[in-house]
Amino acid sequence: VADLDLVRCGPVARPSPSGTRQVRSPGWPWCAVFPLVDATGLCRSLVFRAVEPPQVGPKSYALAGYERRGLVLADPMACALLSRTGEEVRVADRAGGPDIFWDGVVRLVEGEPDFLTWAADPERVVRANGEYRTTAVIGWLGSGGLPAEIALRIPKNSRVVIYPHQDDAGLKAATLARQRLSHRSEEHTSELQSPCNLVCRLLLEKK
């Protein structure tokens, strides 16, 4: 989890001076902090999730003053996929090992716990023909499901597997995701971005 920079954990910040960005006061002692990225793989906001389920109130909060509509959770491979430049999608091993290539599979999951479970699975990385390959993991938040702008960035020739919660809201979100994925075209999915670093870029910018 730490190597992939998927989440950070710490005490909830105390009230800060006016004009600074902060989490809404949830009353938790500790929380998990997840970065949220846009359709180009850039980190645009944060979401704060309770480490232990609260007795009352929401389980998560957004960063005050920042928008999270259109944003998703994404592991480094998913960020590389969203920010691709037309070259083969890969991420650099932070420990100095070989690059890891995308295997053509995208896993769409619902919520922070399921995202963390799939993204941190050590068995995701498989070695074949002398190369290391793995899937891309994207997590959506809330009943809105997978944002349309994110769906358009998923290559048309990829294999997409959806893992919703088995309730009415989750199944509705999965149906919506399938509909949005069906609207992809070769023109959309081959759109090029500026040739920047393909590794997840944690640059926080105001939406």
Side-chain angles (χ1 to χ4, degrees):
V1 172
D3 289 343
L4 296 176
D5 207 13
L6 299 172
V7 64
R8 300 189 182 189
C9 188
V12 174
R14 297 291 182 262
S16 55
S18 176
T20 59
R21 303 299 180 186
Q22 59 182 324
V23 63
R24 298 179 180 88
S25 179
W28 311 327
W30 292 81
C31 69
V33 184
F34 292 84
L36 296 175
V37 307
D38 64 10
T40 65
L42 283 171
C43 181
R44 297 291 186 177
S45 188
L46 304 170
V47 64
F48 298 77
R49 170 88 184 197
V51 174
E52 296 183 0
Q55 295 183 352
V56 294
K59 298 178 182 178
S60 64
Y61 285 86
L63 189 66
Y66 283 80
E67 184 62 72
R68 76 176 189 181
R69 284 179 298 182
L71 306 181
V72 293
L73 304 165
D75 74 334
M77 186 59 75
C79 288
L81 182 65
L82 294 172
S83 65
R84 65 192 182 282
T85 64
E87 303 172 358
E88 185 167 13
V89 180
R90 70 180 75 185
V91 292
D93 186 286
R94 295 188 178 188
D99 288 354
I100 302 175
F101 295 84
W102 180 47
D103 65 1
V105 178
V106 178
R107 299 190 185 277
L108 302 179
V109 301
E110 180 179 2
E112 301 94 338
D114 287 1
F115 168 77
L116 198 57
T117 298
W118 280 104
D121 182 4
E123 296 184 1
R124 288 177 50 208
V125 180
V126 177
R127 186 175 185 181
N129 300 321
E131 293 182 346
Y132 291 93
R133 294 189 173 272
T134 190
T135 61
V137 181
I138 295 175
W140 77 79
L141 301 176
S143 58
L146 182 70
E149 54 267 49
I150 300 292
L152 290 176
R153 291 292 294 160
I154 297 176
K156 193 175 180 63
N157 62 350
S158 60
R159 177 172 175 257
V160 181
V161 187
I162 304 175
Y163 298 90
H165 293 165
Q166 296 303 304
D167 53 23
D168 290 343
L171 297 177
K172 181 178 180 181
T175 299
L176 183 59
R178 286 194 292 269
Q179 292 173 349
R180 288 173 173 169
L181 288 167
S182 69
H183 293 159
R184 293 173 297 167
S185 68
E186 295 297 342
E187 180 181 359
H188 278 131
T189 58
S190 63
E191 179 186 1
L192 303 183
Q193 299 294 321
S194 58
C196 298
N197 192 350
L198 288 179
V199 183
C200 182
R201 298 163 293 174
L202 296 180
L203 174 62
L204 183 59
E205 297 179 359
K206 185 175 180 181
K207 189 71 175 177

